Amino acid sequence: MREVTCELCPRACVIPEGGAGDCRVRVNLGGKLRATTYGRPSAIHIDPMEKKPLYHFRPGSPVFSIATAGCNLHCLNCQNWQLSQRGGEEMETLYRADPPDLIKAAREEGCRSIAYTYSDPIVFYEYVYDSSELAHREGLANVFITAGYINRKPLRKLCRVLDAANVDLKAFDEDFYRRVSDASLRPVLDALVTLREEGVWLEVTNLLIPTLNDDLAMIRRMVRWLRDELGEGTPLHFSRFQPQYRMRNLPPTPAEALDRARREALDGGLKYVYIGNIPGHEGGSTYCPTDGTRLIGRTGFWITENRLTADGRCPTCNEEIPGVWE
Amino acid sequence: MRNDTHRDGTEREWRRTGRRRFLGLLSGLGAAGLALPFPSVARGPRERDLKEADFYRPHDLAG
């Protein structure tokens, strides 16, 4: 039996010949590990950058977004489970698109960025890497939307070709990761630090689930860690939970819980804290941390106002707002 | 127009030679056909090899 050990993510799956890793899409064929969804995306969309969510990276621009089947996490509340919790052979749609095809399509659709998103792009790592490398050569940016459950070595290599990332930090609690996502927190924190060290533009999302990860003391610990390890200018998005997949027993997050979390994070020293999945909420806009001027107004994923100067400053007090504003 | 009244040994010999040549040609074509690669199924769409993954190693530890 020619077993192999996958070293891409912390699961370190030992895969027998003919078997697949926990992600379902990395398969041992004849003693060689094969990335079965390379060049075979199952979702291709053009989204606004705000949907990722990335609020400080090319605001308002369309981003060519792709995903393949599979995921290395198994969150009970997954909102893309039809894609993430299946293998490629189970997909209703399977496109053929090698990296040059992707870049060509993105250009034709007027997108200056490509997002690897929806499921966790870690599991189609090689496809992301090759596409990103080519995208850079063609002047396109790459954004990586992930839960960050990846080993350091492959992530460092990938950072060479990434421009921005949003990491879904699911909770600041090992027990939550174990029970809800069948994973662990530590590698995710390591990934956040690596992305910061490598200079990839970084934003963090925390989906607030009633009773499971909305404890203010835990949020306070998370905010302190983010401020100290990643910096006070790191945007944090508190996102509203909607019951789905295997977690239909809990209600949507009340707006008040999101407000409380946002207030806690602002008080804890983070400068850009957002509320997501509540269209029209004031927490969806960007404010100057010095004088409170509304800099970018948003309703849902749409920008209603952009008062940032061309070099990314507050027009009132000249405060520099971190981000990629080109 | 053939003149059957002049059929003799020379003509029979000519016919045998012609038949031998024809059969030789047929068997030559057959042999050549067998020597060619089997005409393949490869004419239709063909699935590419799956991409080999990065970051893995043989699992050769005991246990």
Side-chain angles (χ1 to χ4, degrees), chain A residues 93-133:
Chain A
T93 309
L94 205 60
Y95 301 104
R96 295 301 295 264
D98 280 338
D101 306 322
L102 280 188
I103 278 65
K104 183 168 177 278
R107 278 186 169 287
E108 283 172 0
E109 297 295 339
C111 299
R112 292 190 301 134
S113 314
I114 298 179
Y116 309 94
T117 180
Y118 305 133
S119 55
D120 201 305
I122 289 168
V123 304
F124 52 98
Y125 180 93
E126 297 77 11
Y127 188 33
V128 175
Y129 191 89
D130 291 354
S131 302
S132 298
E133 207 174 32

Side-chain angles (χ1 to χ4, degrees), chain A residues 145-159:
Chain A
I145 312 304
T146 177
Y149 202 57
I150 182 171
N151 285 335
R152 263 204 175 131
K153 195 173 163 191
L155 180 58
R156 276 208 197 280
K157 182 183 170 193
L158 190 62
C159 283

